[in-house]
Amino acid sequence: MCKVNKKVKNVGIVLRPQSTHIKPIFIDIQRQLQDSGIQVMLEYSGARMLNLSENIESYDIQYICEHADMLFSIGGDGTLLSVARQSYGSNVPILGINSGRLGYLTIAMPNEISNIIENIKSGNYSINQHLMLEGYVQESVGLEIMKPFVALNEFLLSREGVSGMLELEASINGVLFNHYRLDGLLVATPTGSSAYNISAGGSLVYSKCRNVLLTPVCPHSLTQRPIILDDSFTISFKFKTAGALICDGQQRISVPQNSVICIKVAQHNANLVEIIPNFYFVRLKEKFGWGANN
């Protein structure tokens, strides 16, 4: 984590889709930002959702990433994950404001916005660089995706339907190391270690670590265990059965049999804003109930 002295003058705002209840939250945040002399750039799909297109100038996400000093993600963790993927490569810091239920990655509630504005306006904030993953199609018949896909939490390699089994041949840097027969396989980041990964029996990993986590989901063998790798490897998976690749639980790509998908650490990080020092441990204690005397 590095201290940042840049004062924020322009904020791009991305809202959780199909959430019209966010309107009063956005209006209040917009008012407080503007009263503080910070320009607001609302992403256009959010403006349409709230019927604000005629009253507020809105912009596409690429324009916002080119001109904003910071992005506000207003929603839940899913919204922040989507913003991280949409803004990938821009290096614009993202601040998550929670209007959802869980809010593990988000750092503030709407009623805390005045304190947030005071800190970002003065440059009193820090940025954590979170490792992201990049996936691409190495070989396939019928699956032509030219642009790599990215994830902040995890890629899930999943069976094709609700029944049956996924069979994978996994290689690290071209060397075969495992045959998997399971319901799914998680390839997770340290940021995603506290999400689906921990539910599947994987380890918690500090979010600043440079690791890739392979966690089997319901393996059809007792010998298949989670494994933690460093960030230097390219892992390739040959789908011996048809399956799917799911990015951060949001984007699903059907993968034909015999396709090869490669996954490695992405070139760019997700830059997440932090106001409270060591907020990671504060959140662990809060969400997992650690440190309580029972």
Side-chain angles (χ1 to χ4, degrees):
M1 182 171 65
C2 57
K3 195 70 176 178
V4 177
N5 296 315
K6 182 177 180 180
K7 298 179 180 180
V8 174
K9 299 179 181 178
N10 303 284
V11 167
I13 295 183
V14 182
L15 305 177
R16 180 185 178 190
Q18 301 176 351
S19 302
T20 54
H21 69 277
I22 286 179
K23 187 170 184 177
I25 296 173
F26 165 73
I27 294 296
D28 181 57
I29 291 173
Q30 178 200 33
R31 176 188 60 78
Q32 292 194 55
L33 285 168
Q34 291 178 338
D35 288 349
S36 299
I38 297 176
Q39 180 185 353
V40 174
M41 293 182 285
L42 177 61
E43 194 267 334
Y44 70 88
S45 64
R48 289 204 313 271
M49 176 184 69
L50 301 184
N51 295 318
L52 295 173
S53 299
E54 295 181 0
N55 304 320
I56 297 176
E57 190 170 2
S58 57
Y59 308 85
D60 65 36
I61 189 67
Q62 182 177 354
Y63 181 90
I64 290 174
C65 289
E66 290 172 355
H67 295 86
D69 299 317
M70 185 176 290
L71 298 175
F72 277 16
S73 161
I74 303 178
D77 285 351
T79 309
L80 190 147
L81 291 171
S82 176
V83 171
R85 294 199 311 276
Q86 291 181 68
S87 63
Y88 175 75
S90 69
N91 295 320
V92 182
I94 305 168
L95 188 152
I97 299 172
N98 182 29
S99 69
R101 291 175 294 178
L102 181 59
Y104 192 90
L105 297 176
T106 54
I107 66 165
M109 299 298 291
N111 61 5
E112 299 172 314
I113 191 62
S114 59
N115 180 59
I116 293 293
I117 292 173
E118 181 180 341
N119 280 282
I120 66 171
K121 189 176 179 181
S122 64
N124 186 28
Y125 64 93
S126 300
I127 291 177
N128 278 340
Q129 295 186 337
H130 290 242
L131 176 151
M132 296 186 72
L133 297 175
E134 174 186 306
Y136 59 93
V137 180
Q138 183 182 63
E139 181 181 344
S140 181
V141 176
L143 180 59
E144 296 182 4
I145 301 176
M146 302 302 295
K147 186 178 180 181
F149 24 88
V150 294
L152 173 54
N153 261 2
E154 79 279 308
F155 289 122
L156 170 62
L157 285 64
S158 173
R159 58 189 181 184
E160 188 174 26
V162 295
S163 62
M165 176 182 65
L166 177 67
E167 187 174 349
L168 298 168
E169 234 177 46
S171 300
I172 295 181
N173 288 354
V175 178
L176 179 67
F177 88 100
N178 206 347
H179 286 89
Y180 287 104
R181 294 177 177 84
L182 31 59
D183 288 356
L185 179 67
L186 285 165
V187 186
T189 68
T191 304
S193 69
S194 57
Y196 193 173
N197 173 76
I198 195 172
S199 298
S203 298
L204 276 175
V205 178
Y206 179 47
S207 59
K208 287 181 65 177
C209 291
R210 305 288 297 180
N211 293 112
V212 178
L213 292 67
L214 300 185
T215 304
V217 179
C218 297
H220 295 215
S221 169
L222 294 177
T223 64
Q224 300 292 359
R225 315 307 295 174
I227 182 171
I228 300 175
L229 306 172
D230 71 13
D231 63 353
S232 65
F233 298 112
T234 297
I235 314 165
S236 59
F237 300 96
K238 184 170 185 177
F239 282 66
K240 304 297 287 185
T241 55
L245 179 71
I246 303 172
C247 311
D248 284 336
Q250 297 175 338
Q251 179 185 6
R252 187 182 192 278
I253 301 166
S254 295
V255 181
Q257 184 178 8
N258 293 322
S259 300
V260 178
I261 302 292
C262 293
I263 296 175
K264 62 180 182 179
V265 169
Q267 179 180 356
H268 301 284
N269 300 309
N271 297 321
L272 303 188
V273 175
E274 185 173 281
I275 303 294
I276 302 172
N278 295 316
F279 182 73
Y280 174 83
F281 300 104
V282 174
R283 183 50 53 90
L284 278 185
K285 181 178 182 296
E286 174 187 308
K287 295 299 182 182
F288 290 96
W290 290 356
N293 292 321
N294 295 324

